[in-house]
Amino acid sequence: MVSRVIPVDPFDLVIFGGTGDLAQKKILPGLYRRFADGQMPAEARIIGAARSDLTSDSYRAMVRDAVSEAIPEGRRNGDTLTAFLGRIEYVTIDATGTAGWTELAAMVRPDVVRAFYFSVAPSLFGDLAKRLNDHRIASRHCRIVVEKPFGRDLASARDLNATLARHFSEEQIYRIDHYLGKETVQNLMAVRFANVLFEPLWNAQYVDHVQITVAETVGVGGRGAYYDKSGAMRDMVQNHLMQLLCLIAMEPPSRFDPDAVRDEKLKVIRALDPVEPKDIVRGQYLANDTLSGYRDEAESPDSRTESFIALKCGISNWRWAGTPFYLRTGKRLKARASEIAVVFKDAPHAIFGQSAGTHRNILSIRLQPNEGITLGVTIKEPGPGGMRLLDVPLDMSFADALGPEASEVPDAYERLIMDVIRGNQTLFMRGDEVEAAWAWTDPLIEGWTERGDAPAPYEIGSTGPEEAAILMHRAGRKWREIRP
Ligand code: NAD
């Protein structure tokens, strides 16, 4: 396969929070990979900006360590890394004070794309936005990238949108949800909208149900106090799972352009039904011999915050009325696995008789690990002995289809950052989308808080509380296996 990397325009990318965990683990290693791939023009520059008192040289040493840690030795090159570090500078800055702003104003160049990555706590977004404008560092066409969480409810998301809108237009604001940057997620759109095969079947007449699972093996660990204020619903469902649901459920946009796509996603969120309490299962992992339980790590030993949630959601529109969407996410589960499964209905009439069993087509979109798309089809079991049926995968594994380079597909963050430089907002959330997602989420959280519902306990390494399996069994369905 020929690599088709198209260099972006020259840019100055300022990473506020450039010494933080996200910058070191994702943003800077991602930028290194784009550099190594030849996507950064000679005039591209990255400016780390954070509170720590560092020189550009000591910051470069920090970035060298971060890239070396994140990218295995065989995949990085010493000379390339040194050249990459040559693009990096640092400024000590205080988001809430005066330090560093004059220096930053002198560093950014005219006539190149200006982008500011807010990789800091959301409580600092307003301060950064204001100072960028006060010091005339923000240009008319500059872009800002904001990280999750975008609010903790509708009111705070509205406040945050209003704060940013005081200083930047919607076209300048890139709200990141890294799930949208995953290769398979974009492939999902290609599979749906570039083939005639699936779209005619993509509705309640042919789809029995959809399952979206994001399973993690990690616990909340040292982030327990922070996570306890959030929980799986706020941390994962309101953003990542909701975005995946939108891409599955949305109508074909008229064009693959930012507003056409986001308009269709917004319509899906607005068509989501409220979820009844009987269709919500929340859980907390218990301790085992070696690992602590959720309540040991949370802020309070009586915490009612969920580390697992499963929901049955309905979408009230012509396409989906009657087809449930099951969402499930949790920590300390059996395996790290994210998958969307579109489970089609049974064939209307079984001509092969009862002994052939029941078979269903399932389109499985794996987000991690082993990104790929598999369509389960039913065939005749080879050999003599009558008409026995067998389900086999029609595998669209990128590695097989595209060769070894497929395993080198850009990570979600690096793709999204390049989209920011290109000025393409398609894979970023618009303000009204985020607000609509919270407007659906808030009453669910308020409901279980008012009722005083306690999360059900589950074992570490399991698939979540038994109640989640029952949620499916009630309708004669079952969850897909959580496979690594
Ligand atoms: P972190 O605590 O590791 O880093 C915070 C950074 O902010 C540091 O560089 C620090 O110097 C800087 N900072 C703090 N106060 C400042 C001030 N007054 N002025 C200037 N700089 C200041 O945080 P993180 O984990 O890197 O997360 C950053 C953001 O990204 C947060 O909004 C977080 O929710 C989000 N996020 C992080 C991850 C992750 O994997 N770490 C994943 C998704 C989203």
Side-chain angles (χ1 to χ4, degrees):
M1 196 178 68
V2 182
S3 171
R4 282 193 236 131
V5 172
I6 302 168
V8 294
D9 289 336
F11 63 83
D12 276 344
L13 170 66
V14 180
I15 309 174
F16 292 108
T19 58
D21 183 66
L22 183 71
Q24 302 285 312
K25 285 202 182 122
K26 293 285 181 187
I27 303 172
L28 288 157
L31 287 166
Y32 165 77
R33 279 190 290 257
R34 293 298 86 226
F35 176 81
D37 239 7
Q39 200 163 15
M40 275 189 206
E43 305 87 344
R45 208 169 43 155
I46 298 155
I47 303 171
R51 233 175 1 180
S52 314
D53 197 5
L54 300 174
T55 61
S56 284
D57 275 342
S58 49
Y59 184 63
R60 284 184 203 113
M62 185 184 215
V63 176
R64 182 186 284 281
D65 289 347
V67 172
S68 308
E69 172 92 23
I71 302 175
E73 211 175 339
R75 295 220 175 153
R76 74 185 129 82
N77 171 300
D79 293 343
T80 314
L81 181 51
T82 303
F84 172 68
L85 295 174
R87 306 298 179 83
I88 294 183
E89 288 176 44
Y90 182 80
V91 57
T92 305
I93 212 158
D94 182 3
T96 58
T98 51
W101 290 98
T102 315
E103 290 82 343
L104 180 60
M107 283 165 101
V108 288
R109 297 165 297 173
D111 309 324
V112 297
V113 173
R114 249 178 233 185
F116 304 97
Y117 200 127
F118 291 9
S119 181
V120 293
S123 56
L124 297 176
F125 290 177
D127 288 303
L128 289 178
K130 182 172 181 315
R131 280 167 179 72
L132 282 173
N133 278 278
D134 288 354
H135 291 270
R136 300 183 186 281
I137 302 170
S139 58
R140 213 155 67 86
H141 299 290
C142 75
R143 289 132 214 189
I144 61 165
V145 184
V146 295
E147 264 297 336
K148 85 168 203 183
F150 200 88
R152 67 179 322 272
D153 53 19
L154 177 57
S156 53
R158 274 193 181 142
D159 282 353
L160 203 45
N161 273 335
T163 303
L164 295 179
R166 274 199 285 281
H167 306 286
F168 298 99
S169 69
E170 184 60 35
E171 289 66 41
Q172 294 178 289
I173 305 172
Y174 289 70
R175 295 175 195 78
I176 212 160
D177 184 321
H178 70 275
Y179 272 62
L180 293 181
K182 288 181 183 287
E183 184 71 15
T184 328
V185 170
Q186 291 162 73
N187 241 311
L188 165 63
M189 288 190 270
V191 165
R192 272 195 71 185
F193 303 130
N195 297 285
V196 290
L197 217 55
F198 297 105
E199 205 47 30
L201 308 178
W202 211 260
N203 54 50
Q205 197 184 343
Y206 292 103
V207 176
D208 179 73
H209 71 280
V210 175
Q211 298 186 19
I212 303 177
T213 298
V214 177
E216 297 178 286
T217 49
V218 292
V220 294
R223 290 173 64 234
Y226 160 80
Y227 184 91
D228 207 37
K229 295 188 186 68
S230 155
M233 185 72 178
R234 287 192 172 98
D235 193 45
M236 298 297 291
V237 177
Q238 184 273 344
N239 39 57
H240 306 316
L241 278 84
M242 181 80 86
Q243 289 295 320
L244 299 179
L245 180 147
C246 284
L247 295 179
I248 290 281
M250 73 182 185
E251 294 300 315
S254 56
R255 294 173 308 282
F256 190 59
D257 84 12
D259 278 331
V261 172
R262 297 184 299 177
D263 285 347
E264 295 307 335
K265 282 162 57 195
L266 181 62
K267 285 184 212 162
V268 173
I269 303 174
R270 290 192 172 148
L272 275 171
D273 297 331
V275 184
E276 293 184 41
K278 70 173 175 49
D279 292 331
I280 304 174
V281 175
R282 294 161 62 245
Q284 281 177 340
Y285 56 84
L286 295 166
N288 67 11
D289 292 345
T290 48
L291 298 164
S292 6
Y294 179 74
R295 287 187 172 195
D296 309 321
E297 295 169 334
E299 198 165 38
S300 131
D302 308 317
S303 167
R304 295 196 163 200
T305 304
E306 72 285 351
S307 59
F308 173 97
I309 189 163
L311 300 160
K312 178 184 173 193
C313 309
I315 301 175
S316 280
N317 63 21
W318 271 58
R319 187 186 282 262
W320 293 116
T323 293
F325 282 64
Y326 292 91
L327 312 184
R328 164 177 69 158
T329 181
K331 297 199 177 286
R332 287 268 184 250
L333 296 178
K334 197 175 158 192
R336 173 174 173 265
S338 300
E339 185 205 55
I340 305 170
V342 180
V343 182
F344 290 91
K345 289 188 173 172
D346 293 345
H349 171 59
I351 68 165
F352 301 110
Q354 296 248 313
S355 60
T358 51
H359 298 270
R360 280 186 162 182
N361 299 121
I362 298 176
L363 183 71
S364 152
I365 299 125
R366 270 175 288 120
L367 307 179
Q368 63 191 20
N370 316 322
E371 292 195 41
I373 300 180
T374 307
L375 178 64
V377 291
T378 303
I379 59 163
K380 177 192 166 296
E381 199 177 313
M387 200 62 173
R388 294 186 312 270
L389 300 185
L390 185 69
D391 293 332
V392 294
L394 253 181
D395 213 329
M396 290 174 251
S397 143
F398 302 144
D400 293 348
L402 307 175
E405 282 181 43
S407 61
E408 308 269 332
V409 291
D411 164 71
Y413 274 97
E414 53 196 274
R415 171 189 310 271
L416 291 173
I417 296 171
M418 289 300 107
D419 276 359
V420 173
I421 306 298
R422 283 194 207 97
N424 184 347
Q425 287 186 305
T426 310
L427 299 174
F428 295 83
M429 294 178 295
R430 209 167 53 191
D432 52 1
E433 242 186 287
V434 178
E435 289 186 16
W438 280 120
W440 176 78
T441 309
D442 277 1
L444 306 188
I445 298 176
E446 282 158 18
W448 70 60
T449 310
E450 273 163 28
R451 291 192 301 276
D453 293 353
Y458 63 93
E459 305 283 341
I460 289 178
S462 69
T463 57
E466 207 181 323
E467 287 80 349
I470 297 170
L471 175 70
M472 278 285 196
H473 292 170
R474 276 204 319 255
R477 302 186 173 105
K478 62 178 193 197
W479 289 107
R480 305 251 304 154
E481 210 186 312
I482 298 179
R483 276 184 297 118

